[in-house]
């Protein structure tokens, strides 16, 4: 595996400071830019490790900052509070996602990546962020959500959704109800989206997180994680084939 360069990228959203982490191969010429929305802990060493594993030889990845530099949750309680605050202001959330996407385009462009070769993926709360960016009509090749929340406060404002949407869900995730899944299907169909929903049997929330160890609620599942990442990799290979 090639060496990975990591650096902090500072930017502003409505005058407030934010800091994401940019990762890219130290050698070679990447040709894809991926915006990664982390789980509810936001920018963290664990998020950086996940991103590092996806860089390879082709990807520039920006781990976006969902909260701003003044909010770095140190516990699950703090993370839940921070997530709840921004999910209650969907306009602010979308503004932060748009800003991070613009930063990624700029930084990836400096490394030779064309501005239209961009996709987004995310985990848990970050999965919801990836879906929200797609709903916002962002010019992205694809959006992938791992064990993400499906609800949006403004389903009627979804679209145009410009690239394929891939949702990888734990079939036994207590945080994703059958009603939420049914509503998501209706929303995507109404928006004319190209969407795929995969229900992974035997999996609950956070199935890609090696640190998740709450049986029946949030638990790592190596087999399901491997299959889910393979599904995303396949989709990205498809949409970046040109």
């Amino acid at each position: 595996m090639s060496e990975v360069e990591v650096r902090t990228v500072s930017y502003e959203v409505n005058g407030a400071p934010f800091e994401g982490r940019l990762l890219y191969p130290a050698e070679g010429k990447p040709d894809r830019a991926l915006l990664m929305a982390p789980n509810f802990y936001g920018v963290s060493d664990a998020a950086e490790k996940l991103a590092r594993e996806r860089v390879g030889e082709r990807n520039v990845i920006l781990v976006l900052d969902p909260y701003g530099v003044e909010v770095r949750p140190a516990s699950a309680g703090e993370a839940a509070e921070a997530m709840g605050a921004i999910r209650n202001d969907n306009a602010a959330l979308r503004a932060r996602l748009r800003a991070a996407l613009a930063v990624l385009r700029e930084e990836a462009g400096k490394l030779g990546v064309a501005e239209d070769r961009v996709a987004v993926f995310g985990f848990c709360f970050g999965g919801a962020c990836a879906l929200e960016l797609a709903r916002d009509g962002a010019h992205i090749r694809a959006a992938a959500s791992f064990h993400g929340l499906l609800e949006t406060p403004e389903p009627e404002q979804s679209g145009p959704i410009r690239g394929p949407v891939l949702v990888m869900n734990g079939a036994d995730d207590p945080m994703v109800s059958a009603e939420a899944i049914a509503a998501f299907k209706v929303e995507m169909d109404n928006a004319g989206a190209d969407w795929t929903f995969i229900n992974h049997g035997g999996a609950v929330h956070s199935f890609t997180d090696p640190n998740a160890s709450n049986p029946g609620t949030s638990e790592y599942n190596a087999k399901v994680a491997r299959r889910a990442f393979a599904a995303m990799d396949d989709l990205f290979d498809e949409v970046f084939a040109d």
Side-chain angles (χ1 to χ4, degrees), residues 199-211:
N199 243 348
H200 290 280
V204 291
H205 201 62
S206 300
F207 58 75
T208 64
D209 185 352
N211 296 316

Side-chain angles (χ1 to χ4, degrees), residues 1-5 23-28 30 32 51-61:
M1 182 180 294
S2 62
E3 291 294 317
V4 176
E5 295 282 351
L23 299 91
Y24 52 93
E27 299 179 358
R32 313 191 303 191
R52 186 183 290 271
E53 293 169 353
R54 313 313 303 172
V55 170
E57 298 181 353
R58 300 187 62 184
N59 298 321
V60 177
I61 299 178

Side-chain angles (χ1 to χ4, degrees), residues 7 9-11 20-24 30-37 58-65 96-121 133 139-142 236 240:
R7 61 183 176 86
V9 177
S10 299
Y11 57 103
R21 294 188 193 175
L22 190 76
L23 299 91
Y24 52 93
D31 66 348
R32 313 191 303 191
L34 306 181
L35 184 64
M36 180 182 139
R58 300 187 62 184
N59 298 321
V60 177
I61 299 178
L62 176 64
V63 180
L64 67 83
D65 180 358
R96 294 177 185 188
L97 298 174
R98 288 193 295 267
L101 182 62
V103 169
L104 171 62
R105 288 192 203 279
E106 179 180 358
E107 295 296 333
K110 297 174 184 176
L111 296 168
V113 180
E115 66 176 11
D116 67 330
R117 295 182 61 80
V118 179
V120 61
F121 67 107
L133 190 60
H139 288 270
I140 52 178
R141 294 284 182 103
F236 286 176
F240 289 116

Side-chain angles (χ1 to χ4, degrees), residues 46-204:
E48 180 185 313
K49 182 176 184 295
L50 260 176
R52 186 183 290 271
E53 293 169 353
R54 313 313 303 172
V55 170
E57 298 181 353
R58 300 187 62 184
N59 298 321
V60 177
I61 299 178
L62 176 64
V63 180
L64 67 83
D65 180 358
Y67 305 133
V69 297
E70 295 181 355
V71 180
R72 291 289 185 264
S75 67
E78 291 180 4
E81 182 178 358
M83 177 183 69
I86 190 59
R87 277 185 62 83
N88 285 332
D89 189 346
N90 204 52
L93 175 60
R94 288 191 178 191
R96 294 177 185 188
L97 298 174
R98 288 193 295 267
L101 182 62
V103 169
L104 171 62
R105 288 192 203 279
E106 179 180 358
E107 295 296 333
K110 297 174 184 176
L111 296 168
V113 180
E115 66 176 11
D116 67 330
R117 295 182 61 80
V118 179
V120 61
F121 67 107
F123 304 87
C124 301
F125 167 54
C129 290
L131 296 177
E132 208 59 39
L133 190 60
R135 290 167 169 132
D136 197 45
H139 288 270
I140 52 178
R141 294 284 182 103
S145 168
F146 294 85
H147 41 82
L149 307 177
L150 303 177
E151 296 91 340
T152 178
E154 301 167 320
E156 70 282 356
Q157 294 187 22
S158 294
I161 294 178
R162 303 181 187 276
V165 172
L166 173 63
V167 173
M168 290 151 290
N169 184 63
D172 298 323
D173 188 337
M175 301 180 192
V176 180
S177 67
E179 292 77 13
I181 295 172
F184 179 78
K185 176 185 184 302
V186 171
E187 178 197 354
M188 291 294 105
D189 287 345
N190 287 343
D194 173 1
W195 64 279
T196 300
F197 187 96
I198 302 175
N199 243 348
H200 290 280
V204 291

